[in-house]
Amino acid sequence: MPTTKALLFGRRRDRAVGLVVGFAGVVALALVAAFVAESVGATTATALTDRLLPLLVFYAPGPLAAAGAYARCGGPACLAVGVVPALVLGGFVLLGTLVGVPGVNGGNPAIGDVTVSFAAIGVTSAFVGYCAGVTAVLAADVLGFGSADSDE
């Protein structure tokens, strides 16, 4: 029961907060760097926009949620990792529109659809990763090399 409760609700709140906030910081930093590089015409803009951002938005939530489940951060924190890219993108567009940053167009109605799509993809990926992490924890506990008795 302690393992199940730790997997569902989390036992390590500081790690859970660090997981979500840290990932949000990385996504925000990559988004700002890609925007700045694209604005100044740097050659790294292509690498950032074509490789790093899709990696963070589409592929990273699953493995991060699996790692969070294995570290017993809890289901809510692991699923929140999936929503982080959409929230960061939406916040970036909202802030850029309010401040009046050229090249950031929040008046486009498609940006809401893109944000919702990012959230749906991210939450789906995070859910699959969370399930994989829970499976890994339970398998490790059954095989005897898990940390079910550890309260760390």
Side-chain angles (χ1 to χ4, degrees):
M1 186 67 168
T3 298
T4 305
K5 189 174 180 181
L7 288 171
L8 288 176
F9 303 113
R11 184 182 296 160
R12 299 177 172 124
R13 302 265 186 234
D14 55 337
R15 285 189 188 175
V17 170
L19 178 73
V20 175
V21 172
F23 184 53
V26 169
V27 171
L29 183 65
L31 186 63
V32 169
F35 179 76
V36 168
E38 190 77 31
S39 296
V40 298
T43 57
T44 58
T46 303
L48 282 172
T49 55
D50 292 345
R51 291 180 184 91
L52 183 62
L53 283 177
L55 176 76
L56 289 173
V57 170
F58 299 119
Y59 302 117
L64 283 174
Y70 195 79
R72 291 165 178 79
C73 292
C78 293
L79 294 178
V81 167
V83 181
V84 163
L87 292 177
V88 170
L89 175 68
F92 181 76
V93 170
L94 180 66
L95 183 66
T97 302
L98 290 176
V99 173
V101 176
V104 177
N105 185 9
N108 188 353
I111 196 66
D113 294 339
V114 169
T115 304
V116 170
S117 297
F118 279 3
I121 291 168
V123 167
T124 303
S125 176
F127 179 73
V128 170
Y130 174 70
C131 291
V134 167
T135 303
V137 166
L138 295 177
D141 286 348
V142 166
L143 295 174
F145 60 87
S147 59
D149 296 331
S150 169
D151 285 333
E152 193 173 61

